[in-house]
mmCIF file of all heavy atoms in Angstrom:
data_model
loop_
_atom_site.group_PDB
_atom_site.id
_atom_site.type_symbol
_atom_site.label_atom_id
_atom_site.label_comp_id
_atom_site.label_asym_id
_atom_site.label_seq_id
_atom_site.Cartn_x
_atom_site.Cartn_y
_atom_site.Cartn_z
ATOM 1 N N GLU J 6 4.900 12.331 5.898
ATOM 2 C CA GLU J 6 5.159 13.837 6.197
ATOM 3 C C GLU J 6 6.363 14.107 6.834
ATOM 4 O O GLU J 6 6.730 13.411 7.966
ATOM 5 C CB GLU J 6 3.909 14.178 7.046
ATOM 6 C CG GLU J 6 4.073 15.723 7.433
ATOM 7 C CD GLU J 6 3.102 16.010 8.556
ATOM 8 O OE1 GLU J 6 3.292 15.746 9.713
ATOM 9 O OE2 GLU J 6 2.195 16.825 8.321
ATOM 10 N N LEU J 8 7.587 17.180 7.783
ATOM 11 C CA LEU J 8 7.432 18.554 8.179
ATOM 12 C C LEU J 8 8.486 18.955 9.174
ATOM 13 O O LEU J 8 9.076 19.972 9.168
ATOM 14 C CB LEU J 8 6.002 18.809 8.698
ATOM 15 C CG LEU J 8 5.643 20.095 9.176
ATOM 16 C CD1 LEU J 8 5.660 21.150 7.983
ATOM 17 C CD2 LEU J 8 4.194 20.128 9.696
ATOM 18 N N VAL J 50 0.208 17.569 6.656
ATOM 19 C CA VAL J 50 -1.261 17.291 6.890
ATOM 20 C C VAL J 50 -1.993 18.611 7.384
ATOM 21 O O VAL J 50 -1.385 19.200 8.282
ATOM 22 C CB VAL J 50 -1.516 16.186 7.991
ATOM 23 C CG1 VAL J 50 -2.954 16.092 8.485
ATOM 24 C CG2 VAL J 50 -0.990 14.857 7.518
ATOM 25 N N GLN J 51 -3.024 19.061 6.694
ATOM 26 C CA GLN J 51 -3.600 20.213 7.197
ATOM 27 C C GLN J 51 -4.896 19.895 8.022
ATOM 28 O O GLN J 51 -5.206 20.562 9.069
ATOM 29 C CB GLN J 51 -4.178 21.039 5.948
ATOM 30 C CG GLN J 51 -2.994 21.524 5.169
ATOM 31 C CD GLN J 51 -2.025 22.378 5.926
ATOM 32 O OE1 GLN J 51 -2.569 23.265 6.493
ATOM 33 N NE2 GLN J 51 -0.901 22.041 5.911
ATOM 34 N N TYR J 60 -9.275 20.371 16.693
ATOM 35 C CA TYR J 60 -8.548 21.581 16.222
ATOM 36 C C TYR J 60 -9.483 22.771 16.072
ATOM 37 O O TYR J 60 -9.204 23.859 16.610
ATOM 38 C CB TYR J 60 -7.827 21.250 14.871
ATOM 39 C CG TYR J 60 -7.100 22.362 14.190
ATOM 40 C CD1 TYR J 60 -5.821 22.687 14.560
ATOM 41 C CD2 TYR J 60 -7.669 23.123 13.212
ATOM 42 C CE1 TYR J 60 -5.122 23.718 14.044
ATOM 43 C CE2 TYR J 60 -7.002 24.091 12.596
ATOM 44 C CZ TYR J 60 -5.715 24.489 12.991
ATOM 45 O OH TYR J 60 -5.177 25.455 12.395
ATOM 46 N N HIS J 61 -10.582 22.593 15.359
ATOM 47 C CA HIS J 61 -11.509 23.694 15.047
ATOM 48 C C HIS J 61 -12.317 24.176 16.267
ATOM 49 O O HIS J 61 -12.482 25.319 16.391
ATOM 50 C CB HIS J 61 -12.351 23.532 13.819
ATOM 51 C CG HIS J 61 -11.463 23.357 12.559
ATOM 52 N ND1 HIS J 61 -11.440 22.105 11.739
ATOM 53 C CD2 HIS J 61 -10.621 24.184 12.021
ATOM 54 C CE1 HIS J 61 -10.610 22.420 10.766
ATOM 55 N NE2 HIS J 61 -10.130 23.612 10.911
ATOM 56 N N ASP J 85 -10.542 25.153 4.424
ATOM 57 C CA ASP J 85 -11.344 23.842 4.441
ATOM 58 C C ASP J 85 -12.727 24.155 5.058
ATOM 59 O O ASP J 85 -13.589 23.256 4.964
ATOM 60 C CB ASP J 85 -10.417 22.851 5.369
ATOM 61 C CG ASP J 85 -10.098 23.381 6.666
ATOM 62 O OD1 ASP J 85 -10.879 23.951 7.406
ATOM 63 O OD2 ASP J 85 -8.804 23.350 6.812
ATOM 64 N N ASP J 154 -5.743 30.859 10.806
ATOM 65 C CA ASP J 154 -5.773 29.356 10.646
ATOM 66 C C ASP J 154 -4.774 29.055 9.453
ATOM 67 O O ASP J 154 -5.269 28.685 8.365
ATOM 68 C CB ASP J 154 -7.117 28.939 10.316
ATOM 69 C CG ASP J 154 -7.331 27.415 10.241
ATOM 70 O OD1 ASP J 154 -6.299 26.725 10.618
ATOM 71 O OD2 ASP J 154 -8.366 26.851 9.860
ATOM 72 N N SER J 155 -3.528 29.161 9.656
ATOM 73 C CA SER J 155 -2.608 29.020 8.612
ATOM 74 C C SER J 155 -1.915 27.741 8.617
ATOM 75 O O SER J 155 -2.071 26.918 9.440
ATOM 76 C CB SER J 155 -1.563 30.138 8.936
ATOM 77 O OG SER J 155 -0.873 29.895 10.160
ATOM 78 N N ASP J 157 1.946 25.865 8.442
ATOM 79 C CA ASP J 157 3.092 26.126 9.176
ATOM 80 C C ASP J 157 3.919 27.236 8.435
ATOM 81 O O ASP J 157 3.736 27.443 7.356
ATOM 82 C CB ASP J 157 3.910 24.763 9.415
ATOM 83 C CG ASP J 157 3.079 23.922 10.293
ATOM 84 O OD1 ASP J 157 3.128 24.159 11.482
ATOM 85 O OD2 ASP J 157 2.334 23.139 9.866
ATOM 86 N N GLN J 187 -2.434 29.607 14.927
ATOM 87 C CA GLN J 187 -2.082 28.114 14.867
ATOM 88 C C GLN J 187 -0.545 28.185 15.117
ATOM 89 O O GLN J 187 0.190 28.718 14.225
ATOM 90 C CB GLN J 187 -2.413 27.587 13.518
ATOM 91 C CG GLN J 187 -2.181 26.216 13.221
ATOM 92 C CD GLN J 187 -0.616 25.785 12.936
ATOM 93 O OE1 GLN J 187 -0.077 25.169 13.914
ATOM 94 N NE2 GLN J 187 -0.155 26.110 11.841
ATOM 95 N N TYR J 222 -1.455 15.878 13.934
ATOM 96 C CA TYR J 222 -0.281 16.648 14.107
ATOM 97 C C TYR J 222 0.759 16.079 14.864
ATOM 98 O O TYR J 222 0.503 16.073 16.157
ATOM 99 C CB TYR J 222 -0.586 18.083 14.627
ATOM 100 C CG TYR J 222 -1.669 18.831 13.726
ATOM 101 C CD1 TYR J 222 -2.302 19.924 14.236
ATOM 102 C CD2 TYR J 222 -1.924 18.471 12.398
ATOM 103 C CE1 TYR J 222 -3.246 20.648 13.428
ATOM 104 C CE2 TYR J 222 -2.674 19.163 11.671
ATOM 105 C CZ TYR J 222 -3.475 20.243 12.178
ATOM 106 O OH TYR J 222 -4.359 20.984 11.336
HETATM 107 N N1 AG3 A 301 -4.026 24.677 9.737
HETATM 108 C C1 AG3 A 301 -3.110 23.861 10.595
HETATM 109 C C2 AG3 A 301 -2.028 23.180 9.866
HETATM 110 C C3 AG3 A 301 -1.060 22.514 10.802
HETATM 111 C C4 AG3 A 301 -0.206 21.560 10.063
HETATM 112 N N2 AG3 A 301 0.782 21.080 10.926
HETATM 113 C C5 AG3 A 301 1.187 19.695 11.046
HETATM 114 N N3 AG3 A 301 0.778 18.942 10.128
HETATM 115 N N4 AG3 A 301 1.822 19.361 11.963
HETATM 116 C C6 AG3 A 301 -4.550 24.031 8.621
HETATM 117 C C7 AG3 A 301 -5.915 24.389 8.374
HETATM 118 C C8 AG3 A 301 -6.949 23.728 9.100
HETATM 119 N N5 AG3 A 301 -8.200 24.434 9.092
#
Side-chain angles (χ1 to χ4, degrees):
E6 180 189 69
L8 182 62
V50 172
Q51 296 303 307
Y60 177 83
H61 293 120
D85 52 57
D154 187 9
S155 58
D157 290 276
Q187 183 286 104
Y222 298 162

